[in-house]
Amino acid sequence: MSNYAIETRNLKIAYGKKEVIKGVNFKIPEKIVFALMGPSGCGKSTLLRSFNRLLDLNKDARVSGEALLFGQNIYGENVDVMSVRREIGMVFQYPNPFPHLTIYENIAIGLRLNKIVQGREELDSRIKWALEKASLLDEVEDRLDDYPSALSGGQKQRLVIARVLAMKPKVLLLDEPTANVDPVGTKNIENLLMELKKEYTIVLVTHEPAQASRISDYVGFLYLGELVESGPTARIFENPKHELTDRYVRGILA
Amino acid sequence: MGEILVGKIKELKSDVLDMGKLAVTMLKDAVEALKSQNTQLAETVLDRKTEIARMDEAIEEKALRMIALYHPVSRDMRTIAAALKMITYLTRIGRYAKDIAKTAVLLANEPHLSKLVEIPYMADKVVGMIDDALTAFENEELAPLENFAERDDEIDALYYSIFRESITYMMEDAKNITKCIHYIIIARYLERCGDHACKIAEKVHYMVTGEHIEIK
Ligand SMILES: Nc1ncnc2c1ncn2[C@@H]1O[C@H](COP(=O)(O)OP(=O)(O)O)[C@@H](O)[C@H]1O
Ligand SMILES: [Mg+2]
């Protein structure tokens, strides 16, 4: 087993002829928050999706090089894509709970489809556990049968996180999870991520350097498909080695 | 937002440089007043003490506000951190200038011994170091800081030389004691100003490279 939750080796990704990830190498230790930051269009979402083999769904997307999940190359031969995805939970930019399912059913559906729990009692307790982990239980305990439309943006996003956690993944991938959430909701989600990193490895995509500086332990700066610099967050924000990183974190990258 | 901060930092740097120039002229004038026994000039140094204290406060407030409002990082943060330390050192240099000016008033009525021993020469060396440290800060370059450790050793050596020479005069004639004690204390102040020049150089080095060093 590798000490790293995720590691990439000369990972390249192209859509058709257009190469958007140009051979990146980094290592993400377990149980930390790793922030992937960079201006929009630089390839953050593409890179994040490759860790979950979500790009398989896109016929134009081509991946080469290696992406290792706990030491195993997920692009190797004979890899079971479903088992890779079970280790990884993904949260997207727009809070996307199923609108026609209740809060309870939003979490239950994945557990039922994958036959992960047996019987109503176990299901109940797993759902409560997930809501508790997502710091949402107190707010929705007495309205589990309401629809998510009654929730705030931040609460919806935490419901999605609860849905993901219920599957007990090892790694959480979040693609700009607070981009559409107000400041209070953002703070709640950031606090939640800091709590969750005790048990999970978290990869957070953000276009906001300030968010990366607030909550990440390690940070990678992606620019035009290249990993310009990565390292401990405090070091990158105090003393970046690369001129581009310096300009980006200072907010003066043209 | 980044560009706004860049403008504010320029302003902050120019404030620190103004304060630096004030500290340097105070020190130069204090030693000149001592040398030429010009009590009027000494008095103007004493008057400038309030101005430098006012600058210290104003710059500190400005820098703290920048941190609160703009959450600076990287070189911006390092520049503000360097500025906050530098103004403390510059204030102390101003305070030593004031103390030297006070002594200049006390020693204005009798001729100096041996042309004030090596005090004016030592003062020139110290002022040169402060000037170079400020130039390095202004241009964000390390070249003017080369040899600072050697220059500081030279200042220390000058202090001991003034000390020994003054002791000799005191042993020759007890009437020289008051004057010589003052010379020794002034040399000690100048030596401290040299230390502060080194501290400023260390902060400028950190601002430019992100690495902490110790010059002495
Ligand atoms: N499905 C796709 N097909 C073709 N090009 C795409 C696709 N998705 C993203 N791109 C392009 O890839 C580049 C990186 O996009 P993306 O990974 O979304 O960046 P980010 O998340 O940093 O904003 C962009 O130039 C974008 O236009
Ligand atoms: Mg994106």
Side-chain angles (χ1 to χ4, degrees):
Chain A
M1 278 292 263
S2 152
N3 292 325
Y4 297 102
I6 294 176
E7 189 179 339
T8 68
R9 294 181 184 160
N10 198 23
L11 188 70
K12 295 179 180 171
I13 304 171
Y15 293 111
K17 289 214 169 79
K18 185 179 169 202
E19 188 166 70
V20 293
I21 296 296
K22 299 170 183 169
V24 302
N25 294 288
F26 58 82
K27 295 173 173 177
I28 303 179
E30 281 186 65
K31 296 185 182 169
I32 59 147
V33 176
F34 182 92
L36 195 56
M37 64 182 186
S40 77
C42 71
K44 303 180 297 294
S45 297
T46 300
L47 188 55
L48 197 71
R49 281 158 186 264
S50 75
F51 300 153
N52 205 7
R53 288 198 57 166
L54 275 183
L55 297 173
D56 293 13
L57 307 174
N58 184 327
K59 282 192 292 296
D60 289 337
R62 240 176 302 282
V63 179
S64 73
E66 291 178 37
L68 281 63
L69 183 65
F70 298 103
Q72 186 203 12
N73 181 13
I74 62 169
Y75 289 97
E77 278 171 39
N78 306 322
V79 168
D80 173 12
V81 178
M82 288 323 289
S83 76
V84 167
R85 292 202 184 130
R86 211 163 295 137
E87 306 250 291
I88 294 187
M90 182 119 185
V91 176
F92 298 93
Q93 180 170 348
Y94 295 94
N96 58 349
F98 303 115
H100 55 288
L101 296 180
T102 64
I103 292 171
Y104 182 96
E105 285 299 329
N106 255 282
I107 303 175
I109 185 166
L111 298 168
R112 286 211 180 95
L113 287 174
N114 290 289
K115 301 197 170 57
I116 285 172
V117 293
Q118 311 287 321
R120 181 77 193 196
E121 222 168 279
E122 208 185 324
L123 186 65
D124 276 358
S125 76
R126 176 73 80 103
I127 287 168
K128 289 240 163 87
W129 174 87
L131 286 167
E132 174 83 57
K133 282 272 169 217
S135 306
L136 190 60
L137 187 61
D138 291 347
E139 291 157 62
V140 302
E141 203 164 16
D142 51 2
R143 46 178 173 146
L144 292 177
D145 295 328
D146 284 1
Y147 289 89
S149 58
L151 300 176
S152 73
Q155 287 172 324
K156 279 183 191 148
Q157 200 59 297
R158 278 181 286 143
L159 175 58
V160 172
I161 293 173
R163 188 173 76 197
V164 167
L165 293 177
M167 308 297 287
K168 301 212 169 173
K170 291 201 185 113
V171 175
L172 275 182
L173 307 178
L174 302 105
D175 195 350
E176 308 201 17
T178 61
N180 296 290
V181 175
D182 68 25
V184 174
T186 297
K187 195 189 85 201
N188 287 336
I189 290 171
E190 290 180 353
N191 289 341
L192 170 61
L193 296 181
M194 308 258 269
E195 195 52 39
L196 289 174
K197 78 172 181 190
K198 292 174 189 157
E199 293 171 70
Y200 304 87
T201 302
I202 295 174
V203 184
L204 170 75
V205 159
T206 178
H207 67 271
E208 230 192 303
Q211 182 167 59
S213 77
R214 280 196 297 273
I215 62 169
S216 69
D217 305 287
Y218 281 77
V219 62
F221 171 49
L222 197 65
Y223 188 64
L224 301 176
E226 294 185 63
L227 189 71
V228 176
E229 188 169 352
S230 69
T233 303
R235 205 275 293 158
I236 298 271
F237 280 85
E238 186 191 354
N239 187 17
K241 296 282 176 251
H242 202 291
E243 175 75 22
L244 277 172
T245 318
D246 177 74
R247 298 177 66 78
Y248 179 70
V249 297
R250 292 166 65 200
I252 54 171
L253 187 67
Chain B
M1 164 118 155
E3 277 84 5
I4 301 177
L5 182 59
V6 168
K8 298 262 174 201
I9 294 225
K10 262 202 190 129
E11 215 180 288
L12 182 76
K13 278 183 68 185
S14 112
D15 289 351
V16 173
L17 287 165
D18 286 347
M19 184 176 169
K21 278 183 203 121
L22 178 60
V24 166
T25 46
M26 282 172 75
L27 190 58
K28 275 190 192 160
D29 289 351
V31 174
E32 177 56 35
L34 179 73
K35 195 167 95 179
S36 55
Q37 303 190 298
N38 181 343
T39 53
Q40 266 175 335
L41 183 59
E43 294 293 345
T44 70
V45 175
L46 301 182
D47 291 342
R48 279 175 271 172
K49 175 75 193 355
T50 43
E51 174 63 4
I52 203 162
R54 190 198 60 73
M55 287 172 124
D56 182 14
E57 255 176 56
I59 294 173
E60 179 178 1
E61 192 184 321
K62 203 182 252 188
L64 293 177
R65 184 165 299 157
M66 282 162 66
I67 293 174
L69 295 181
Y70 301 99
H71 307 284
V73 295
S74 186
R75 187 181 269 263
D76 296 332
M77 182 64 211
R78 302 201 306 264
T79 305
I80 296 174
L84 275 168
K85 284 284 196 177
M86 285 171 68
I87 57 176
T88 305
Y89 302 137
L90 292 171
T91 300
R92 293 198 190 136
I93 291 171
R95 206 178 296 155
Y96 287 127
K98 179 208 73 180
D99 291 337
I100 294 171
K102 272 191 183 163
T103 315
V105 175
L106 292 177
L107 299 182
N109 299 319
E110 276 181 57
H112 283 303
L113 289 168
S114 175
K115 289 190 185 152
L116 259 181
V117 288
E118 284 177 296
I119 286 175
Y121 177 71
M122 182 181 183
D124 278 351
K125 295 271 168 193
V126 170
V127 163
M129 286 177 78
I130 304 170
D131 274 338
D132 285 348
L134 291 171
T135 303
F137 175 70
E138 181 171 16
N139 304 332
E140 310 195 2
E141 57 177 3
L142 298 178
L145 307 180
E146 273 171 29
N147 306 327
F148 253 53
E150 289 83 353
R151 292 167 78 180
D152 187 58
D153 287 346
E154 194 188 346
I155 302 285
D156 288 349
L158 279 166
Y159 169 63
Y160 286 113
S161 140
I162 290 168
F163 181 84
R164 276 196 306 271
E165 197 176 336
S166 300
I167 296 281
T168 315
Y169 296 135
M170 289 195 266
M171 292 193 302
E172 260 172 28
D173 185 346
K175 283 204 292 293
N176 288 334
I177 289 179
T178 310
K179 248 179 251 174
C180 286
I181 297 248
H182 282 304
Y183 293 168
I184 291 172
I185 293 174
I186 288 170
R188 174 74 185 150
Y189 290 161
L190 289 173
E191 188 261 324
R192 295 296 300 146
C193 288
D195 289 348
H196 289 316
C198 291
K199 290 277 171 211
I200 292 173
E202 287 171 6
K203 296 303 159 198
V204 173
H205 189 280
Y206 169 70
M207 170 182 88
V208 175
T209 66
E211 313 285 345
H212 294 279
I213 54 157
E214 242 177 71
I215 288 175
K216 53 180 296 151

